[in-house]
């Protein structure tokens, strides 16, 4: 009987091993768990799946990405610390959630940082500025391999937003960032840092008049139900930062590192289009609610940037110090060069 049990156990183990080998579960030389906060239907995850497929195919199965969406591996702070400590191989994180970890990345909070044109914005994101921003993570115990676009913020309010002057005296909810607070102060408005989970009620009860978020967030969270005015301003870049554990990244052959970086860059145009489709669908739902919607003209955006950028820039340098000053200098050189083309 014991002999039969041992034989059955051995057969079972061999069967599991055979199945694992056949499905490629054990075939990968390098396996990375990648955690993030968005759902499996949202742009970030959809394109992480595409990257995972490209990387696996182009390394002949040597590199495997296992994806964990929707905070399955913890909140962003826990995942970032996990990447730092090596308990997690990688995370794709909103830059806005990383300012406490790396003050230099708070440059992404500055309004009208990236041009509206996708190709021009990509030149800045993928050029010397993006490289310098990534390098700022090295001293924080993580390896940044690039930036991913994830939409832009717009303004809503229960009060009119027909002109720049209308912002004066209004109260806007912001994430806890001095840069965002100064952004509104420059318009004569005031900013109140509130947790995201409290925002709907704060808008409903008048604790704040307005807020700023991407259109798909405004739609998904039903903020338009408690707001009367929406301005399509695209003023705030929502960028993702791709972070890997340094030891895991260093363990890869250089050709695999290049394959991974190339795959992340390759899907950016598709990622932008996917996000644009989600935003367009969100806008249609918001329009159906009957709230006032208007689009900022290019001249108006320039006027807002002239007001907001200097104050937000100063708040950023105060926060990020010499490191921030150097990064701003690289950004402004890149921005001017891109604008001149």
């Amino acid at each position: 009987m014991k002999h039969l049990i041992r034989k059955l156990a051995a057969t079972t183990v061999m069967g599991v091993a055979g199945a694992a080998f056949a499905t490629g579960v054990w075939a990968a030389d390098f396996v990375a768990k990648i955690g993030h906060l968005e759902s499996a239907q949202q742009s970030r995850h959809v394109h992480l799946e595409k990257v995972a497929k490209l990387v696996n195919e182009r390394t002949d199965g040597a590199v495997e990405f296992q994806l964990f969406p929707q905070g399955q591996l913890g909140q962003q702070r826990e995942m970032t610390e996990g990447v730092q400590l090596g308990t997690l191989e990688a995370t794709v994180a909103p830059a806005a959630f990383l300012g406490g970890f790396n003050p230099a990345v708070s440059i992404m909070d500055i309004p009208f940082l990236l041009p509206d044109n996708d190709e021009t914005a990509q030149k800045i994101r993928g050029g010397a500025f993006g490289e310098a921003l990534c390098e700022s993570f090295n001293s924080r115990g993580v390896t940044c391999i690039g930036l991913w676009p994830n939409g832009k913020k717009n303004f809503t309010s229960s009060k009119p937003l027909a002109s720049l002057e209308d912002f004066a005296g209004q109260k806007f909810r912001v994430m806890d960032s001095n840069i965002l607070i100064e952004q509104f102060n420059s318009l004569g408005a005031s900013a109140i840092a509130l947790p995201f989970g409290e925002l709907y009620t704060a808008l409903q009860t008048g604790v704040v008049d307005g807020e700023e978020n991407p259109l798909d967030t405004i739609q998904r969270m039903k903020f338009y139900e408690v707001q009367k005015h929406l301005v399509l301003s695209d003023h705030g870049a929502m960028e993702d930062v791709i972070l890997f554990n340094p030891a895991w990244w260093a363990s890869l052959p250089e050709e695999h590192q290049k394959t991974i970086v190339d795959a992340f860059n390759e899907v950016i145009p598709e990622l932008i289009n996917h996000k644009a489709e989600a935003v367009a669908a969100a806008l249609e739902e918001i329009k159906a609610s009957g709230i006032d919607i208007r689009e900022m003209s290019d001249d108006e955006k320039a006027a807002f940037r002239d007001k907001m950028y200097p104050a937000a820039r100063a708040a950023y340098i105060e926060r990020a110090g010499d490191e921030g000053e150097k990064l701003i200098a690289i950004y402004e050189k890149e921005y001017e060069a891109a604008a001149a083309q």
Side-chain angles (χ1 to χ4, degrees):
M1 185 68 177
K2 289 181 180 178
H3 176 72
L4 178 60
I5 291 171
R6 283 198 298 271
K7 186 175 180 181
L8 285 170
T11 303
T12 302
V13 169
M14 288 175 67
V16 171
F21 184 79
T23 58
V25 171
W26 288 357
D29 298 322
F30 305 94
V31 178
K33 298 186 296 296
I34 303 179
H36 69 96
L37 295 176
E38 286 192 350
S39 74
Q41 292 73 43
Q42 289 179 275
S43 301
R44 183 190 297 149
H45 188 79
V46 169
H47 290 82
L48 272 172
E49 288 181 322
K50 292 187 177 186
V51 169
K53 187 172 184 292
L54 288 173
V55 168
N56 194 253
E57 288 173 353
R58 292 172 182 177
T59 61
D60 295 324
V63 179
E64 179 188 341
F65 288 168
Q66 298 174 355
L67 308 179
F68 297 86
Q70 212 156 350
Q72 291 176 26
L73 302 182
Q75 293 304 306
Q76 190 55 60
R77 179 174 177 175
E78 294 170 294
M79 289 190 284
T80 304
E81 289 175 349
V83 173
Q84 192 180 31
L85 295 170
T87 55
L88 179 62
E89 285 74 32
T91 185
V92 180
F97 288 16
L98 297 172
F101 178 74
N102 175 12
V105 79
S106 294
I107 193 171
M108 300 312 305
D109 285 344
I110 296 176
F112 296 104
L113 193 81
L114 296 179
D116 284 339
N117 182 275
D118 291 332
E119 289 184 13
T120 309
Q122 182 56 32
K123 285 179 182 177
I124 295 172
R125 183 187 297 114
F129 167 69
E131 289 176 14
L133 182 55
C134 264
E135 285 172 9
S136 72
F137 283 89
N138 292 343
S139 62
R140 276 87 184 183
V142 291
T143 296
C144 168
I145 68 160
L147 304 176
W148 251 13
N150 199 16
K152 290 185 176 180
K153 292 184 289 186
N154 301 274
F155 297 118
T156 71
S157 179
S158 59
K159 297 178 179 179
L161 296 174
S163 68
L164 190 152
E165 290 73 25
D166 283 340
F167 282 75
Q170 294 198 39
K171 295 173 293 185
F172 287 85
R173 178 266 175 184
V174 293
M175 292 181 288
D176 191 7
S177 162
N178 283 343
I179 298 161
L180 297 178
I181 290 169
E182 287 304 319
Q183 153 189 296
F184 282 107
N185 285 348
S186 69
L187 301 177
S190 57
I192 300 172
L194 288 174
F196 185 71
E198 298 177 15
L199 179 51
Y200 185 96
T201 303
L203 293 168
Q204 188 177 42
T205 58
V207 171
V208 291
D209 301 306
E211 54 84 44
E212 55 171 9
N213 264 300
L215 285 179
D216 47 343
T217 301
I218 293 167
Q219 173 263 326
R220 191 170 62 252
M221 301 306 296
K222 308 294 183 185
F223 294 148
Y224 62 85
E225 294 179 344
V226 287
Q227 297 280 265
K228 294 179 180 178
H229 305 275
L230 164 65
V231 179
L232 303 178
S233 54
D234 284 340
H235 66 277
M238 302 293 286
E239 297 287 303
D240 284 344
V241 184
I242 306 158
L243 300 175
F244 278 85
N245 171 261
W248 189 86
W249 185 257
S251 74
L252 294 170
E254 283 187 19
E255 61 265 30
H256 291 351
Q257 291 178 353
K258 184 178 186 305
T259 296
I260 292 169
V261 171
D262 288 348
F264 272 102
N265 287 332
E266 185 177 318
V267 303
I268 285 176
E270 292 179 56
L271 173 63
I272 290 170
N273 289 337
H274 190 275
K275 188 72 179 180
E277 288 171 7
V279 164
L283 182 57
E284 287 307 306
E285 182 176 322
I286 296 169
K287 281 180 179 177
S289 72
I291 73 169
D292 170 58
I293 300 173
R294 72 176 190 87
E295 187 171 357
M296 272 194 187
S297 67
D298 290 343
D299 287 345
E300 192 178 4
K301 287 182 180 182
F304 268 80
R305 190 180 196 273
D306 287 346
K307 274 275 188 182
M308 300 167 81
Y309 181 82
R313 180 188 189 277
Y316 169 66
I317 291 174
E318 184 178 350
R319 173 171 173 72
D322 291 343
E323 186 178 31
E325 207 155 1
K326 290 175 185 174
L327 191 56
I328 275 282
I330 294 169
Y331 158 74
E332 289 179 346
K333 184 178 178 181
E334 293 268 296
Y335 185 88
E336 288 169 13
Q341 291 177 357

CSV table of all heavy atoms in Angstrom, one decimal, residues 252-293:
chain,number,residue,atom,x,y,z
A,252,LEU,N,19.7,40.8,-15.6
A,252,LEU,CA,19.4,40.5,-17.0
A,252,LEU,C,20.5,40.7,-18.0
A,252,LEU,O,21.3,41.7,-17.8
A,252,LEU,CB,18.2,41.4,-17.5
A,252,LEU,CG,16.9,41.3,-16.8
A,252,LEU,CD1,16.0,42.5,-17.2
A,252,LEU,CD2,16.2,40.0,-17.2
A,253,PRO,N,20.7,39.9,-19.0
A,253,PRO,CA,21.7,40.2,-20.0
A,253,PRO,C,21.3,41.6,-20.7
A,253,PRO,O,20.1,41.9,-20.8
A,253,PRO,CB,21.5,39.1,-21.0
A,253,PRO,CG,20.9,38.0,-20.3
A,253,PRO,CD,20.0,38.6,-19.2
A,254,GLU,N,22.2,42.3,-21.2
A,254,GLU,CA,22.0,43.6,-21.8
A,254,GLU,C,21.0,43.5,-22.9
A,254,GLU,O,20.1,44.4,-23.1
A,254,GLU,CB,23.3,44.2,-22.3
A,254,GLU,CG,24.1,44.8,-21.2
A,254,GLU,CD,25.3,45.6,-21.8
A,254,GLU,OE1,25.3,46.0,-23.0
A,254,GLU,OE2,26.3,45.8,-21.0
A,255,GLU,N,21.0,42.4,-23.7
A,255,GLU,CA,20.1,42.3,-24.8
A,255,GLU,C,18.6,42.2,-24.3
A,255,GLU,O,17.7,42.7,-25.0
A,255,GLU,CB,20.4,41.2,-25.8
A,255,GLU,CG,20.4,39.8,-25.1
A,255,GLU,CD,21.8,39.3,-24.6
A,255,GLU,OE1,22.6,40.2,-24.3
A,255,GLU,OE2,22.0,38.1,-24.6
A,256,HIS,N,18.4,41.6,-23.2
A,256,HIS,CA,17.1,41.5,-22.6
A,256,HIS,C,16.6,42.8,-22.1
A,256,HIS,O,15.5,43.2,-22.2
A,256,HIS,CB,17.0,40.4,-21.5
A,256,HIS,CG,17.2,39.0,-22.0
A,256,HIS,ND1,17.2,38.7,-23.3
A,256,HIS,CD2,17.3,37.8,-21.3
A,256,HIS,CE1,17.3,37.4,-23.5
A,256,HIS,NE2,17.4,36.8,-22.2
A,257,GLN,N,17.5,43.5,-21.5
A,257,GLN,CA,17.2,44.9,-21.0
A,257,GLN,C,16.8,45.8,-22.1
A,257,GLN,O,15.7,46.5,-22.0
A,257,GLN,CB,18.4,45.5,-20.3
A,257,GLN,CG,18.8,44.9,-19.0
A,257,GLN,CD,20.1,45.5,-18.4
A,257,GLN,OE1,20.7,46.4,-19.0
A,257,GLN,NE2,20.4,45.1,-17.2
A,258,LYS,N,17.5,45.7,-23.2
A,258,LYS,CA,17.1,46.5,-24.4
A,258,LYS,C,15.8,46.1,-25.0
A,258,LYS,O,14.9,46.9,-25.3
A,258,LYS,CB,18.2,46.4,-25.5
A,258,LYS,CG,17.9,47.3,-26.7
A,258,LYS,CD,19.0,47.1,-27.8
A,258,LYS,CE,18.8,48.1,-28.9
A,258,LYS,NZ,17.5,48.0,-29.6
A,259,THR,N,15.5,44.8,-25.0
A,259,THR,CA,14.2,44.3,-25.5
A,259,THR,C,13.1,44.8,-24.7
A,259,THR,O,12.0,45.2,-25.2
A,259,THR,CB,14.2,42.8,-25.5
A,259,THR,OG1,15.2,42.3,-26.4
A,259,THR,CG2,12.9,42.2,-25.9
A,260,ILE,N,13.3,44.9,-23.4
A,260,ILE,CA,12.2,45.4,-22.5
A,260,ILE,C,12.0,46.9,-22.7
A,260,ILE,O,10.8,47.3,-22.8
A,260,ILE,CB,12.6,45.0,-21.0
A,260,ILE,CG1,12.5,43.5,-20.7
A,260,ILE,CG2,11.6,45.8,-20.0
A,260,ILE,CD1,13.1,43.1,-19.4
A,261,VAL,N,13.0,47.6,-22.7
A,261,VAL,CA,12.9,49.1,-22.9
A,261,VAL,C,12.2,49.4,-24.2
A,261,VAL,O,11.3,50.2,-24.3
A,261,VAL,CB,14.3,49.8,-22.8
A,261,VAL,CG1,14.2,51.2,-23.2
A,261,VAL,CG2,14.8,49.7,-21.4
A,262,ASP,N,12.7,48.7,-25.3
A,262,ASP,CA,12.1,48.9,-26.6
A,262,ASP,C,10.6,48.6,-26.6
A,262,ASP,O,9.9,49.3,-27.3
A,262,ASP,CB,12.9,48.0,-27.6
A,262,ASP,CG,14.3,48.6,-27.9
A,262,ASP,OD1,14.6,49.7,-27.5
A,262,ASP,OD2,15.1,47.8,-28.6
A,263,ALA,N,10.2,47.5,-26.0
A,263,ALA,CA,8.8,47.1,-26.0
A,263,ALA,C,8.0,48.1,-25.3
A,263,ALA,O,6.9,48.4,-25.8
A,263,ALA,CB,8.7,45.7,-25.3
A,264,PHE,N,8.4,48.6,-24.1
A,264,PHE,CA,7.7,49.7,-23.4
A,264,PHE,C,7.5,50.9,-24.3
A,264,PHE,O,6.4,51.5,-24.4
A,264,PHE,CB,8.3,50.1,-22.1
A,264,PHE,CG,7.9,49.2,-21.0
A,264,PHE,CD1,8.7,48.2,-20.5
A,264,PHE,CD2,6.7,49.5,-20.3
A,264,PHE,CE1,8.3,47.4,-19.4
A,264,PHE,CE2,6.3,48.7,-19.2
A,264,PHE,CZ,7.1,47.7,-18.8
A,265,ASN,N,8.6,51.3,-25.1
A,265,ASN,CA,8.5,52.5,-25.9
A,265,ASN,C,7.6,52.2,-27.2
A,265,ASN,O,6.9,53.1,-27.6
A,265,ASN,CB,9.9,52.9,-26.4
A,265,ASN,CG,10.7,53.5,-25.3
A,265,ASN,OD1,10.1,54.1,-24.4
A,265,ASN,ND2,12.0,53.4,-25.3
A,266,GLU,N,7.7,51.0,-27.7
A,266,GLU,CA,7.0,50.6,-28.9
A,266,GLU,C,5.5,50.8,-28.8
A,266,GLU,O,4.8,51.2,-29.8
A,266,GLU,CB,7.4,49.2,-29.3
A,266,GLU,CG,6.8,48.7,-30.6
A,266,GLU,CD,7.3,47.3,-31.0
A,266,GLU,OE1,8.5,47.0,-30.8
A,266,GLU,OE2,6.4,46.6,-31.5
A,267,VAL,N,4.9,50.5,-27.6
A,267,VAL,CA,3.5,50.5,-27.5
A,267,VAL,C,2.9,51.8,-27.1
A,267,VAL,O,1.7,52.0,-27.0
A,267,VAL,CB,3.0,49.4,-26.5
A,267,VAL,CG1,3.5,48.0,-26.9
A,267,VAL,CG2,3.4,49.8,-25.1
A,268,ILE,N,3.8,52.8,-27.0
A,268,ILE,CA,3.3,54.2,-26.5
A,268,ILE,C,2.2,54.7,-27.5
A,268,ILE,O,1.2,55.2,-27.0
A,268,ILE,CB,4.5,55.1,-26.3
A,268,ILE,CG1,5.2,54.8,-25.0
A,268,ILE,CG2,4.0,56.6,-26.3
A,268,ILE,CD1,6.4,55.6,-24.7
A,269,PRO,N,2.4,54.7,-28.8
A,269,PRO,CA,1.4,55.2,-29.7
A,269,PRO,C,0.0,54.5,-29.5
A,269,PRO,O,-1.0,55.2,-29.5
A,269,PRO,CB,1.9,55.0,-31.1
A,269,PRO,CG,3.4,55.0,-30.9
A,269,PRO,CD,3.6,54.3,-29.6
A,270,GLU,N,0.0,53.2,-29.3
A,270,GLU,CA,-1.2,52.5,-29.1
A,270,GLU,C,-1.8,52.8,-27.7
A,270,GLU,O,-3.0,52.9,-27.6
A,270,GLU,CB,-0.9,51.0,-29.1
A,270,GLU,CG,-0.6,50.4,-30.4
A,270,GLU,CD,-0.3,48.9,-30.3
A,270,GLU,OE1,-1.2,48.2,-29.9
A,270,GLU,OE2,0.8,48.5,-30.7
A,271,LEU,N,-0.9,53.0,-26.7
A,271,LEU,CA,-1.4,53.4,-25.4
A,271,LEU,C,-2.1,54.8,-25.5
A,271,LEU,O,-3.1,54.9,-24.8
A,271,LEU,CB,-0.1,53.5,-24.5
A,271,LEU,CG,-0.3,54.0,-23.1
A,271,LEU,CD1,-1.3,53.1,-22.3
A,271,LEU,CD2,1.0,54.1,-22.3
A,272,ILE,N,-1.5,55.7,-26.2
A,272,ILE,CA,-2.1,57.0,-26.3
A,272,ILE,C,-3.5,56.9,-27.0
A,272,ILE,O,-4.4,57.6,-26.5
A,272,ILE,CB,-1.2,58.0,-27.1
A,272,ILE,CG1,0.1,58.3,-26.3
A,272,ILE,CG2,-1.9,59.3,-27.5
A,272,ILE,CD1,1.2,59.0,-27.0
A,273,ASN,N,-3.6,56.1,-28.0
A,273,ASN,CA,-4.8,56.0,-28.7
A,273,ASN,C,-5.9,55.3,-27.9
A,273,ASN,O,-7.1,55.7,-27.9
A,273,ASN,CB,-4.6,55.2,-30.0
A,273,ASN,CG,-3.9,55.9,-31.1
A,273,ASN,OD1,-3.8,57.2,-31.1
A,273,ASN,ND2,-3.2,55.2,-32.0
A,274,HIS,N,-5.5,54.3,-27.1
A,274,HIS,CA,-6.4,53.6,-26.2
A,274,HIS,C,-7.0,54.5,-25.2
A,274,HIS,O,-8.2,54.6,-24.9
A,274,HIS,CB,-5.7,52.4,-25.6
A,274,HIS,CG,-6.6,51.5,-24.9
A,274,HIS,ND1,-7.0,51.7,-23.6
A,274,HIS,CD2,-7.2,50.3,-25.3
A,274,HIS,CE1,-7.8,50.7,-23.2
A,274,HIS,NE2,-7.9,49.8,-24.2
A,275,LYS,N,-6.1,55.3,-24.6
A,275,LYS,CA,-6.5,56.3,-23.6
A,275,LYS,C,-7.4,57.4,-24.2
A,275,LYS,O,-8.4,57.8,-23.6
A,275,LYS,CB,-5.3,57.0,-23.0
A,275,LYS,CG,-5.6,57.9,-21.8
A,275,LYS,CD,-5.9,57.0,-20.6
A,275,LYS,CE,-6.2,57.9,-19.4
A,275,LYS,NZ,-6.5,57.1,-18.2
A,276,ALA,N,-7.1,57.8,-25.4
A,276,ALA,CA,-7.9,58.8,-26.1
A,276,ALA,C,-9.3,58.3,-26.3
A,276,ALA,O,-10.3,59.0,-26.2
A,276,ALA,CB,-7.3,59.2,-27.4
A,277,GLU,N,-9.4,57.0,-26.7
A,277,GLU,CA,-10.8,56.4,-26.9
A,277,GLU,C,-11.6,56.3,-25.6
A,277,GLU,O,-12.8,56.6,-25.6
A,277,GLU,CB,-10.6,55.0,-27.5
A,277,GLU,CG,-10.1,55.0,-28.9
A,277,GLU,CD,-9.8,53.6,-29.4
A,277,GLU,OE1,-10.0,52.6,-28.6
A,277,GLU,OE2,-9.3,53.4,-30.5
A,278,ALA,N,-10.9,56.0,-24.5
A,278,ALA,CA,-11.5,56.0,-23.2
A,278,ALA,C,-12.0,57.4,-22.8
A,278,ALA,O,-13.1,57.5,-22.2
A,278,ALA,CB,-10.6,55.4,-22.1
A,279,VAL,N,-11.2,58.4,-23.1
A,279,VAL,CA,-11.5,59.8,-22.7
A,279,VAL,C,-12.7,60.2,-23.6
A,279,VAL,O,-13.6,60.9,-23.1
A,279,VAL,CB,-10.3,60.7,-22.9
A,279,VAL,CG1,-10.7,62.1,-23.0
A,279,VAL,CG2,-9.2,60.4,-21.8
A,280,ALA,N,-12.7,59.9,-24.9
A,280,ALA,CA,-13.8,60.3,-25.7
A,280,ALA,C,-15.1,59.6,-25.3
A,280,ALA,O,-16.2,60.3,-25.3
A,280,ALA,CB,-13.5,59.8,-27.2
A,281,ALA,N,-15.1,58.4,-24.9
A,281,ALA,CA,-16.3,57.7,-24.4
A,281,ALA,C,-16.8,58.4,-23.1
A,281,ALA,O,-18.0,58.5,-22.9
A,281,ALA,CB,-16.0,56.2,-24.2
A,282,ALA,N,-15.8,58.7,-22.2
A,282,ALA,CA,-16.2,59.4,-21.0
A,282,ALA,C,-16.8,60.7,-21.2
A,282,ALA,O,-17.8,61.1,-20.6
A,282,ALA,CB,-14.9,59.5,-20.1
A,283,LEU,N,-16.3,61.5,-22.2
A,283,LEU,CA,-16.8,62.8,-22.5
A,283,LEU,C,-18.2,62.7,-23.0
A,283,LEU,O,-19.1,63.5,-22.7
A,283,LEU,CB,-15.9,63.5,-23.6
A,283,LEU,CG,-16.3,64.9,-23.9
A,283,LEU,CD1,-16.4,65.8,-22.7
A,283,LEU,CD2,-15.4,65.5,-25.0
A,284,GLU,N,-18.5,61.7,-23.8
A,284,GLU,CA,-19.9,61.5,-24.3
A,284,GLU,C,-20.9,61.3,-23.2
A,284,GLU,O,-22.0,61.8,-23.1
A,284,GLU,CB,-20.0,60.3,-25.3
A,284,GLU,CG,-19.3,60.6,-26.6
A,284,GLU,CD,-19.9,61.8,-27.3
A,284,GLU,OE1,-21.1,61.9,-27.4
A,284,GLU,OE2,-19.1,62.7,-27.6
A,285,GLU,N,-20.5,60.5,-22.2
A,285,GLU,CA,-21.4,60.3,-21.0
A,285,GLU,C,-21.5,61.6,-20.2
A,285,GLU,O,-22.6,61.9,-19.7
A,285,GLU,CB,-20.8,59.2,-20.1
A,285,GLU,CG,-21.7,58.9,-18.9
A,285,GLU,CD,-21.2,57.7,-18.0
A,285,GLU,OE1,-20.6,56.7,-18.6
A,285,GLU,OE2,-21.3,57.8,-16.8
A,286,ILE,N,-20.5,62.3,-20.0
A,286,ILE,CA,-20.5,63.6,-19.3
A,286,ILE,C,-21.4,64.6,-20.0
A,286,ILE,O,-22.2,65.3,-19.4
A,286,ILE,CB,-19.1,64.1,-19.1
A,286,ILE,CG1,-18.3,63.2,-18.2
A,286,ILE,CG2,-19.2,65.5,-18.4
A,286,ILE,CD1,-16.8,63.5,-18.1
A,287,LYS,N,-21.3,64.6,-21.4
A,287,LYS,CA,-22.1,65.5,-22.2
A,287,LYS,C,-23.6,65.2,-22.0
A,287,LYS,O,-24.4,66.1,-21.9
A,287,LYS,CB,-21.8,65.4,-23.7
A,287,LYS,CG,-20.5,66.1,-24.1
A,287,LYS,CD,-20.3,65.9,-25.6
A,287,LYS,CE,-19.0,66.7,-26.0
A,287,LYS,NZ,-18.7,66.4,-27.5
A,288,ALA,N,-23.9,63.9,-21.9
A,288,ALA,CA,-25.3,63.5,-21.7
A,288,ALA,C,-25.9,64.0,-20.4
A,288,ALA,O,-27.2,64.1,-20.3
A,288,ALA,CB,-25.4,62.0,-21.8
A,289,SER,N,-25.1,64.4,-19.4
A,289,SER,CA,-25.6,64.8,-18.2
A,289,SER,C,-26.1,66.3,-18.3
A,289,SER,O,-26.8,66.8,-17.4
A,289,SER,CB,-24.5,64.8,-17.1
A,289,SER,OG,-23.5,65.8,-17.3
A,290,GLY,N,-25.7,67.0,-19.3
A,290,GLY,CA,-26.2,68.3,-19.5
A,290,GLY,C,-25.4,69.4,-18.9
A,290,GLY,O,-25.7,70.6,-18.9
A,291,ILE,N,-24.2,69.1,-18.3
A,291,ILE,CA,-23.4,70.2,-17.7
A,291,ILE,C,-22.7,71.0,-18.7
A,291,ILE,O,-22.6,70.6,-19.9
A,291,ILE,CB,-22.3,69.6,-16.7
A,291,ILE,CG1,-21.2,68.9,-17.4
A,291,ILE,CG2,-23.0,68.7,-15.7
A,291,ILE,CD1,-20.0,68.6,-16.5
A,292,ASP,N,-22.3,72.2,-18.3
A,292,ASP,CA,-21.7,73.2,-19.3
A,292,ASP,C,-20.2,72.7,-19.5
A,292,ASP,O,-19.5,72.4,-18.6
A,292,ASP,CB,-21.6,74.6,-18.6
A,292,ASP,CG,-20.7,75.5,-19.4
A,292,ASP,OD1,-21.0,75.7,-20.6
A,292,ASP,OD2,-19.8,76.0,-18.8
A,293,ILE,N,-19.9,72.5,-20.8
A,293,ILE,CA,-18.6,72.0,-21.2
A,293,ILE,C,-18.0,73.0,-22.3
A,293,ILE,O,-18.7,73.3,-23.2
A,293,ILE,CB,-18.7,70.6,-21.8
A,293,ILE,CG1,-19.2,69.6,-20.8
A,293,ILE,CG2,-17.3,70.2,-22.3
A,293,ILE,CD1,-19.5,68.2,-21.4
